[in-house]
Amino acid sequence: MARSEEDDIRAVIQLYIDGAREGNVEKVKQAFHPQARMSGYLQGTLLIAGPEPFYEAVTNAPAPVKSGEPYKSEIVRLDVAGPVASATLEEGPYLGMQFTTFFHLIRVEGRWQIVSKTFMHR
């Protein structure tokens, strides 16, 4: 059975989830387009930038897998319109907080990548 667009998008988001849960920044980076943008409050600091501050946080924060934090995630919405998609992820606890994360993705040369991430604490 051939993979669907939704399956491919879910696989990219799963890379993000696995990388965040494991503290594996290389996995996280695979999910993002090199020019991706992020916005939200990261450890009390407003982030409106590229993904580098987030990569640093993943690298330096205690990974939920190692710290025993019961991190869970669920894609609660996924919309696809040709070569663009959006997804909403409920996740946490991560750094002791619950998040709603909104992703926008694009398909470039057959590969889906996250181009924006907006997150908020719940």
PDB file of all heavy atoms in Angstrom, residues 67-93:
ATOM      1  N   SER A  67      14.948  12.054  31.855  1.00  0.00           N
ATOM      2  CA  SER A  67      14.548  12.631  33.142  1.00  0.00           C
ATOM      3  C   SER A  67      13.340  11.935  33.757  1.00  0.00           C
ATOM      4  O   SER A  67      13.001  12.190  34.901  1.00  0.00           O
ATOM      5  CB  SER A  67      14.230  14.118  32.973  1.00  0.00           C
ATOM      6  OG  SER A  67      13.039  14.282  32.215  1.00  0.00           O
ATOM      7  N   GLY A  68      12.670  11.098  32.972  1.00  0.00           N
ATOM      8  CA  GLY A  68      11.479  10.419  33.464  1.00  0.00           C
ATOM      9  C   GLY A  68      10.211  11.242  33.333  1.00  0.00           C
ATOM     10  O   GLY A  68       9.145  10.827  33.768  1.00  0.00           O
ATOM     11  N   GLU A  69      10.321  12.430  32.711  1.00  0.00           N
ATOM     12  CA  GLU A  69       9.142  13.265  32.501  1.00  0.00           C
ATOM     13  C   GLU A  69       8.191  12.503  31.560  1.00  0.00           C
ATOM     14  O   GLU A  69       8.624  12.004  30.530  1.00  0.00           O
ATOM     15  CB  GLU A  69       9.574  14.599  31.880  1.00  0.00           C
ATOM     16  CG  GLU A  69       8.548  15.676  31.950  1.00  0.00           C
ATOM     17  CD  GLU A  69       9.118  17.043  31.561  1.00  0.00           C
ATOM     18  OE1 GLU A  69       9.971  17.119  30.667  1.00  0.00           O
ATOM     19  OE2 GLU A  69       8.696  18.028  32.169  1.00  0.00           O
ATOM     20  N   PRO A  70       6.912  12.385  31.902  1.00  0.00           N
ATOM     21  CA  PRO A  70       5.985  11.560  31.115  1.00  0.00           C
ATOM     22  C   PRO A  70       5.481  12.255  29.840  1.00  0.00           C
ATOM     23  O   PRO A  70       4.286  12.444  29.639  1.00  0.00           O
ATOM     24  CB  PRO A  70       4.842  11.290  32.087  1.00  0.00           C
ATOM     25  CG  PRO A  70       4.812  12.524  32.944  1.00  0.00           C
ATOM     26  CD  PRO A  70       6.264  12.948  33.093  1.00  0.00           C
ATOM     27  N   TYR A  71       6.408  12.641  28.970  1.00  0.00           N
ATOM     28  CA  TYR A  71       6.081  13.366  27.742  1.00  0.00           C
ATOM     29  C   TYR A  71       5.142  12.545  26.863  1.00  0.00           C
ATOM     30  O   TYR A  71       5.382  11.370  26.612  1.00  0.00           O
ATOM     31  CB  TYR A  71       7.369  13.678  26.985  1.00  0.00           C
ATOM     32  CG  TYR A  71       7.163  14.341  25.645  1.00  0.00           C
ATOM     33  CD1 TYR A  71       7.007  15.719  25.550  1.00  0.00           C
ATOM     34  CD2 TYR A  71       7.124  13.594  24.476  1.00  0.00           C
ATOM     35  CE1 TYR A  71       6.822  16.328  24.322  1.00  0.00           C
ATOM     36  CE2 TYR A  71       6.935  14.199  23.249  1.00  0.00           C
ATOM     37  CZ  TYR A  71       6.793  15.571  23.180  1.00  0.00           C
ATOM     38  OH  TYR A  71       6.608  16.173  21.972  1.00  0.00           O
ATOM     39  N   LYS A  72       4.079  13.187  26.408  1.00  0.00           N
ATOM     40  CA  LYS A  72       3.138  12.581  25.459  1.00  0.00           C
ATOM     41  C   LYS A  72       2.845  13.610  24.385  1.00  0.00           C
ATOM     42  O   LYS A  72       2.983  14.816  24.599  1.00  0.00           O
ATOM     43  CB  LYS A  72       1.841  12.183  26.150  1.00  0.00           C
ATOM     44  CG  LYS A  72       2.002  11.086  27.164  1.00  0.00           C
ATOM     45  CD  LYS A  72       0.682  10.742  27.790  1.00  0.00           C
ATOM     46  CE  LYS A  72       0.904   9.663  28.836  1.00  0.00           C
ATOM     47  NZ  LYS A  72      -0.300   9.302  29.533  1.00  0.00           N
ATOM     48  N   SER A  73       2.435  13.128  23.240  1.00  0.00           N
ATOM     49  CA  SER A  73       2.066  14.045  22.162  1.00  0.00           C
ATOM     50  C   SER A  73       0.957  13.426  21.337  1.00  0.00           C
ATOM     51  O   SER A  73       0.843  12.202  21.240  1.00  0.00           O
ATOM     52  CB  SER A  73       3.277  14.336  21.279  1.00  0.00           C
ATOM     53  OG  SER A  73       3.734  13.131  20.714  1.00  0.00           O
ATOM     54  N   GLU A  74       0.144  14.303  20.765  1.00  0.00           N
ATOM     55  CA  GLU A  74      -0.950  13.847  19.915  1.00  0.00           C
ATOM     56  C   GLU A  74      -1.213  14.894  18.844  1.00  0.00           C
ATOM     57  O   GLU A  74      -1.375  16.081  19.148  1.00  0.00           O
ATOM     58  CB  GLU A  74      -2.214  13.642  20.744  1.00  0.00           C
ATOM     59  CG  GLU A  74      -3.406  13.196  19.930  1.00  0.00           C
ATOM     60  CD  GLU A  74      -4.673  13.079  20.751  1.00  0.00           C
ATOM     61  OE1 GLU A  74      -4.667  13.390  21.951  1.00  0.00           O
ATOM     62  OE2 GLU A  74      -5.693  12.685  20.159  1.00  0.00           O
ATOM     63  N   ILE A  75      -1.250  14.453  17.598  1.00  0.00           N
ATOM     64  CA  ILE A  75      -1.646  15.336  16.504  1.00  0.00           C
ATOM     65  C   ILE A  75      -3.160  15.423  16.563  1.00  0.00           C
ATOM     66  O   ILE A  75      -3.853  14.417  16.411  1.00  0.00           O
ATOM     67  CB  ILE A  75      -1.175  14.807  15.137  1.00  0.00           C
ATOM     68  CG1 ILE A  75       0.352  14.725  15.093  1.00  0.00           C
ATOM     69  CG2 ILE A  75      -1.707  15.691  14.005  1.00  0.00           C
ATOM     70  CD1 ILE A  75       0.908  14.015  13.870  1.00  0.00           C
ATOM     71  N   VAL A  76      -3.673  16.620  16.824  1.00  0.00           N
ATOM     72  CA  VAL A  76      -5.120  16.782  16.977  1.00  0.00           C
ATOM     73  C   VAL A  76      -5.776  17.366  15.742  1.00  0.00           C
ATOM     74  O   VAL A  76      -7.004  17.365  15.631  1.00  0.00           O
ATOM     75  CB  VAL A  76      -5.467  17.629  18.229  1.00  0.00           C
ATOM     76  CG1 VAL A  76      -5.053  16.893  19.495  1.00  0.00           C
ATOM     77  CG2 VAL A  76      -4.846  19.010  18.170  1.00  0.00           C
ATOM     78  N   ARG A  77      -4.962  17.859  14.807  1.00  0.00           N
ATOM     79  CA  ARG A  77      -5.504  18.365  13.552  1.00  0.00           C
ATOM     80  C   ARG A  77      -4.426  18.306  12.492  1.00  0.00           C
ATOM     81  O   ARG A  77      -3.267  18.600  12.755  1.00  0.00           O
ATOM     82  CB  ARG A  77      -5.981  19.797  13.719  1.00  0.00           C
ATOM     83  CG  ARG A  77      -6.632  20.328  12.462  1.00  0.00           C
ATOM     84  CD  ARG A  77      -7.179  21.717  12.633  1.00  0.00           C
ATOM     85  NE  ARG A  77      -7.711  22.145  11.360  1.00  0.00           N
ATOM     86  CZ  ARG A  77      -8.919  22.602  11.178  1.00  0.00           C
ATOM     87  NH1 ARG A  77      -9.734  22.716  12.191  1.00  0.00           N
ATOM     88  NH2 ARG A  77      -9.323  22.975   9.987  1.00  0.00           N
ATOM     89  N   LEU A  78      -4.842  17.930  11.288  1.00  0.00           N
ATOM     90  CA  LEU A  78      -3.924  17.870  10.158  1.00  0.00           C
ATOM     91  C   LEU A  78      -4.707  18.217   8.897  1.00  0.00           C
ATOM     92  O   LEU A  78      -5.728  17.594   8.606  1.00  0.00           O
ATOM     93  CB  LEU A  78      -3.315  16.472  10.033  1.00  0.00           C
ATOM     94  CG  LEU A  78      -2.352  16.215   8.895  1.00  0.00           C
ATOM     95  CD1 LEU A  78      -1.130  17.118   8.994  1.00  0.00           C
ATOM     96  CD2 LEU A  78      -1.915  14.757   8.901  1.00  0.00           C
ATOM     97  N   ASP A  79      -4.251  19.262   8.200  1.00  0.00           N
ATOM     98  CA  ASP A  79      -4.892  19.699   6.961  1.00  0.00           C
ATOM     99  C   ASP A  79      -3.840  19.754   5.867  1.00  0.00           C
ATOM    100  O   ASP A  79      -2.743  20.271   6.085  1.00  0.00           O
ATOM    101  CB  ASP A  79      -5.512  21.086   7.128  1.00  0.00           C
ATOM    102  CG  ASP A  79      -6.631  21.094   8.150  1.00  0.00           C
ATOM    103  OD1 ASP A  79      -7.602  20.341   7.971  1.00  0.00           O
ATOM    104  OD2 ASP A  79      -6.523  21.850   9.133  1.00  0.00           O
ATOM    105  N   VAL A  80      -4.202  19.234   4.691  1.00  0.00           N
ATOM    106  CA  VAL A  80      -3.283  19.228   3.554  1.00  0.00           C
ATOM    107  C   VAL A  80      -3.985  19.883   2.371  1.00  0.00           C
ATOM    108  O   VAL A  80      -5.136  19.561   2.072  1.00  0.00           O
ATOM    109  CB  VAL A  80      -2.872  17.791   3.167  1.00  0.00           C
ATOM    110  CG1 VAL A  80      -1.866  17.801   2.029  1.00  0.00           C
ATOM    111  CG2 VAL A  80      -2.328  17.031   4.358  1.00  0.00           C
ATOM    112  N   ALA A  81      -3.280  20.794   1.697  1.00  0.00           N
ATOM    113  CA  ALA A  81      -3.804  21.459   0.500  1.00  0.00           C
ATOM    114  C   ALA A  81      -2.665  21.520  -0.518  1.00  0.00           C
ATOM    115  O   ALA A  81      -1.858  22.453  -0.497  1.00  0.00           O
ATOM    116  CB  ALA A  81      -4.329  22.845   0.819  1.00  0.00           C
ATOM    117  N   GLY A  82      -2.576  20.486  -1.338  1.00  0.00           N
ATOM    118  CA  GLY A  82      -1.499  20.437  -2.330  1.00  0.00           C
ATOM    119  C   GLY A  82      -0.152  20.337  -1.649  1.00  0.00           C
ATOM    120  O   GLY A  82       0.053  19.477  -0.796  1.00  0.00           O
ATOM    121  N   PRO A  83       0.777  21.270  -1.962  1.00  0.00           N
ATOM    122  CA  PRO A  83       2.122  21.180  -1.401  1.00  0.00           C
ATOM    123  C   PRO A  83       2.299  21.897  -0.059  1.00  0.00           C
ATOM    124  O   PRO A  83       3.420  22.112   0.377  1.00  0.00           O
ATOM    125  CB  PRO A  83       2.980  21.846  -2.475  1.00  0.00           C
ATOM    126  CG  PRO A  83       2.079  22.896  -3.044  1.00  0.00           C
ATOM    127  CD  PRO A  83       0.695  22.274  -3.036  1.00  0.00           C
ATOM    128  N   VAL A  84       1.193  22.280   0.597  1.00  0.00           N
ATOM    129  CA  VAL A  84       1.278  22.903   1.916  1.00  0.00           C
ATOM    130  C   VAL A  84       0.365  22.155   2.883  1.00  0.00           C
ATOM    131  O   VAL A  84      -0.615  21.534   2.486  1.00  0.00           O
ATOM    132  CB  VAL A  84       0.910  24.406   1.889  1.00  0.00           C
ATOM    133  CG1 VAL A  84       1.884  25.195   1.043  1.00  0.00           C
ATOM    134  CG2 VAL A  84      -0.507  24.614   1.417  1.00  0.00           C
ATOM    135  N   ALA A  85       0.730  22.227   4.159  1.00  0.00           N
ATOM    136  CA  ALA A  85      -0.061  21.536   5.176  1.00  0.00           C
ATOM    137  C   ALA A  85       0.068  22.288   6.496  1.00  0.00           C
ATOM    138  O   ALA A  85       1.007  23.063   6.697  1.00  0.00           O
ATOM    139  CB  ALA A  85       0.430  20.106   5.349  1.00  0.00           C
ATOM    140  N   SER A  86      -0.892  22.045   7.374  1.00  0.00           N
ATOM    141  CA  SER A  86      -0.804  22.562   8.740  1.00  0.00           C
ATOM    142  C   SER A  86      -1.174  21.426   9.682  1.00  0.00           C
ATOM    143  O   SER A  86      -1.942  20.525   9.330  1.00  0.00           O
ATOM    144  CB  SER A  86      -1.724  23.765   8.937  1.00  0.00           C
ATOM    145  OG  SER A  86      -3.071  23.386   8.766  1.00  0.00           O
ATOM    146  N   ALA A  87      -0.593  21.487  10.862  1.00  0.00           N
ATOM    147  CA  ALA A  87      -0.854  20.458  11.865  1.00  0.00           C
ATOM    148  C   ALA A  87      -0.837  21.106  13.240  1.00  0.00           C
ATOM    149  O   ALA A  87      -0.089  22.057  13.477  1.00  0.00           O
ATOM    150  CB  ALA A  87       0.195  19.355  11.791  1.00  0.00           C
ATOM    151  N   THR A  88      -1.658  20.581  14.129  1.00  0.00           N
ATOM    152  CA  THR A  88      -1.687  21.034  15.515  1.00  0.00           C
ATOM    153  C   THR A  88      -1.332  19.847  16.394  1.00  0.00           C
ATOM    154  O   THR A  88      -1.886  18.757  16.234  1.00  0.00           O
ATOM    155  CB  THR A  88      -3.074  21.580  15.901  1.00  0.00           C
ATOM    156  OG1 THR A  88      -3.425  22.621  14.993  1.00  0.00           O
ATOM    157  CG2 THR A  88      -3.075  22.104  17.328  1.00  0.00           C
ATOM    158  N   LEU A  89      -0.397  20.083  17.308  1.00  0.00           N
ATOM    159  CA  LEU A  89       0.112  19.045  18.186  1.00  0.00           C
ATOM    160  C   LEU A  89      -0.107  19.478  19.630  1.00  0.00           C
ATOM    161  O   LEU A  89       0.225  20.600  20.005  1.00  0.00           O
ATOM    162  CB  LEU A  89       1.610  18.852  17.916  1.00  0.00           C
ATOM    163  CG  LEU A  89       2.359  17.796  18.704  1.00  0.00           C
ATOM    164  CD1 LEU A  89       1.897  16.402  18.301  1.00  0.00           C
ATOM    165  CD2 LEU A  89       3.861  17.937  18.465  1.00  0.00           C
ATOM    166  N   GLU A  90      -0.690  18.608  20.437  1.00  0.00           N
ATOM    167  CA  GLU A  90      -0.770  18.811  21.884  1.00  0.00           C
ATOM    168  C   GLU A  90       0.366  17.985  22.464  1.00  0.00           C
ATOM    169  O   GLU A  90       0.485  16.791  22.176  1.00  0.00           O
ATOM    170  CB  GLU A  90      -2.117  18.332  22.436  1.00  0.00           C
ATOM    171  CG  GLU A  90      -3.315  19.068  21.881  1.00  0.00           C
ATOM    172  CD  GLU A  90      -3.435  20.502  22.358  1.00  0.00           C
ATOM    173  OE1 GLU A  90      -2.754  20.881  23.338  1.00  0.00           O
ATOM    174  OE2 GLU A  90      -4.213  21.260  21.754  1.00  0.00           O
ATOM    175  N   GLU A  91       1.231  18.626  23.272  1.00  0.00           N
ATOM    176  CA  GLU A  91       2.391  17.902  23.774  1.00  0.00           C
ATOM    177  C   GLU A  91       2.782  18.358  25.168  1.00  0.00           C
ATOM    178  O   GLU A  91       2.485  19.460  25.581  1.00  0.00           O
ATOM    179  CB  GLU A  91       3.576  18.036  22.823  1.00  0.00           C
ATOM    180  CG  GLU A  91       4.057  19.445  22.605  1.00  0.00           C
ATOM    181  CD  GLU A  91       5.219  19.536  21.643  1.00  0.00           C
ATOM    182  OE1 GLU A  91       6.075  18.646  21.632  1.00  0.00           O
ATOM    183  OE2 GLU A  91       5.265  20.526  20.894  1.00  0.00           O
ATOM    184  N   GLY A  92       3.471  17.472  25.849  1.00  0.00           N
ATOM    185  CA  GLY A  92       4.014  17.785  27.156  1.00  0.00           C
ATOM    186  C   GLY A  92       3.748  16.659  28.131  1.00  0.00           C
ATOM    187  O   GLY A  92       3.131  15.657  27.775  1.00  0.00           O
ATOM    188  N   PRO A  93       4.222  16.777  29.330  1.00  0.00           N
ATOM    189  CA  PRO A  93       5.007  17.913  29.772  1.00  0.00           C
ATOM    190  C   PRO A  93       6.409  17.902  29.157  1.00  0.00           C
ATOM    191  O   PRO A  93       7.019  16.861  28.960  1.00  0.00           O
ATOM    192  CB  PRO A  93       5.086  17.742  31.288  1.00  0.00           C
ATOM    193  CG  PRO A  93       4.906  16.290  31.526  1.00  0.00           C
ATOM    194  CD  PRO A  93       4.046  15.792  30.407  1.00  0.00           C
TER     195      PRO A  93
END
